[in-house]
Amino acid sequence: MGLTGGIGSGKSAVLAEFARRGAATLSLDELAHEVSGLEPAERKALAAKVFSDPKALRRLERALHPPVLREMARRLAGARGLTVVDVPLLFEKKLEDRFDVTLAVTAGLKTRLARLARRGTSPAEARRRMKAQLPAAEHRRRADLVIDNGGSRKDLTEKVRQYHAALQSIAVGGVK
């Protein structure tokens, strides 16, 4: 299953909850960090540059996405059962056909900005990054399944539990 949503929507929390329930999981952000080999401080400086320069962002994506997607395919080649892959740019990069099911995580703007502020991201930087992504309405429109993550952690846990149980019962998951 391909998992997506805008920055601050709670994709990582959803991915962690699926993992806690026994699903195989993979984060393409984490995989990109591995593939790039950059230290966290270098990644932060690079992110500040590319999210303010669309040409630089496109160059970075052209360089980084092919090896990340190859490594994703390698790691998932033998996957069995429910496998959830966090793909932040799932729809933007037209990767939805690689998955049996897509799940979008959404949350309101105020909630997302508050989450990002807790991580140390300024409102201006958060808005710049959000601008580089699809709007939440487009994620909802294009996804097979949607989780509104604007409530409590308990609410999120229950929503993931329900989706996990349903997906397990019909044995959906994996990469095409």
Side-chain angles (χ1 to χ4, degrees):
M1 175 170 62
L3 172 68
T4 195
I7 187 169
S9 63
K11 294 180 305 295
S12 296
V14 170
L15 190 70
E17 189 60 33
F18 271 108
R20 193 176 76 74
R21 296 183 174 285
T25 60
L26 179 63
S27 165
L28 291 197
D29 272 350
E30 290 178 14
L31 190 55
H33 296 165
E34 289 176 31
V35 168
S36 75
L38 295 174
E39 296 298 320
E42 294 171 287
R43 288 195 310 264
K44 187 173 182 174
L46 182 60
K49 176 171 176 36
V50 300
F51 283 110
S52 63
D53 181 351
K55 287 182 182 178
L57 179 59
R58 285 192 298 276
R59 281 193 305 273
L60 176 66
E61 289 175 346
R62 279 195 304 271
L64 196 54
H65 288 178
V68 168
L69 294 176
R70 280 192 300 274
E71 182 61 14
M72 176 190 79
R74 187 189 72 74
R75 290 187 186 191
L76 299 177
R80 298 287 177 257
L82 180 58
T83 303
V84 183
V85 183
D86 178 354
V87 186
L89 300 175
L90 180 73
F91 298 124
E92 292 91 334
K93 299 302 173 186
K94 299 176 177 38
L95 298 172
E96 59 265 40
D97 289 344
R98 294 183 182 222
F99 300 92
D100 294 325
V101 174
T102 58
L103 170 64
V105 182
T106 64
L109 179 61
K110 287 172 89 173
T111 299
R112 293 170 64 196
L113 288 172
R115 288 176 182 156
L116 293 168
R118 285 192 295 271
R119 289 191 227 161
T121 305
S122 73
E125 179 64 17
R127 288 179 191 278
R128 202 168 21 257
R129 290 181 182 210
M130 288 176 185
K131 194 173 178 181
Q133 299 176 333
L134 285 179
E138 187 66 10
H139 281 121
R140 283 190 298 273
R141 186 185 73 73
R142 293 176 68 176
D144 298 312
L145 307 169
V146 177
I147 289 180
D148 178 353
N149 187 22
S152 70
R153 185 61 183 239
K154 183 179 177 182
D155 292 340
L156 178 66
T157 299
E158 179 57 20
K159 290 171 185 176
V160 173
R161 184 197 66 73
Q162 290 173 4
Y163 275 135
H164 181 266
L167 292 167
Q168 285 288 94
S169 72
I170 57 176
V172 173
V175 176
K176 292 180 185 175

